[in-house]
Amino acid sequence: MEIEMRKFGPNSRASMNNKLKQYKLDVEIIQKEMKKAIDVSSNFRNYQSINQNDPERNKLLQIHSSLMNTNDTIVRSTQIAIETEQLGNNVLTELNEQGERLRNANDQVKLTK
């Protein structure tokens, strides 16, 4: 990029030179961040391999799994309860309608006597 800048005039070159410096700084920052991320990842893998046989960790993982399963069960149970309530409301509405029809029919029978 520096070689290509030489082809342009002084005004353009100054502007391009500033951009080039900024790009180089950006690349350095990204390289530092990448190195930090690689170090963190490496440290995490080391920590994970060291603690894999830790009985407390295994117990916590079992408890976490159990809690997640319990949560899933509660969510399913809640959904079933909601659906059951909706079905019950529908049945009650239908029974009220049928009761009203029966009362109307009974009234009609009384009027025809």
Side-chain angles (χ1 to χ4, degrees):
M1 290 176 86
E2 293 168 343
I3 295 172
E4 291 179 8
M5 277 188 345
R6 294 180 190 159
K7 295 178 186 176
F8 296 98
N11 293 337
S12 298
R13 199 176 315 151
S15 166
M16 289 181 181
N17 194 25
N18 288 337
K19 287 181 183 179
L20 182 63
K21 286 179 184 178
Q22 185 60 43
Y23 291 151
K24 285 182 179 182
L25 286 174
D26 290 345
V27 167
E28 286 178 26
I29 290 170
I30 291 171
Q31 285 174 338
K32 287 178 183 177
E33 289 175 358
M34 191 68 151
K35 186 177 179 337
K36 285 180 186 177
I38 290 170
D39 290 344
V40 168
S41 176
S42 177
N43 289 341
F44 179 73
R45 279 193 211 122
N46 290 338
Y47 174 79
Q48 211 173 19
S49 66
I50 291 170
N51 290 321
Q52 211 147 19
N53 293 326
D54 185 8
E56 288 181 18
R57 180 179 182 276
N58 290 336
K59 183 69 174 173
L60 284 173
L61 289 174
Q62 289 174 348
I63 291 170
H64 180 265
S65 177
S66 176
L67 284 173
M68 295 304 290
N69 290 340
T70 303
N71 185 50
D72 292 343
T73 301
I74 290 171
V75 168
R76 284 193 305 270
S77 298
T78 302
Q79 184 62 36
I80 290 170
I82 290 169
E83 291 172 2
T84 303
E85 183 179 11
Q86 290 171 343
L87 183 63
N89 286 334
N90 292 342
V91 167
L92 284 175
T93 301
E94 191 174 324
L95 286 174
N96 278 334
E97 290 172 359
Q98 289 176 0
E100 187 64 33
R101 278 189 240 129
L102 286 173
R103 282 187 287 282
N104 288 341
N106 191 25
D107 290 346
Q108 290 292 329
V109 168
K110 287 181 183 176
L111 290 175
T112 57
K113 287 186 180 181

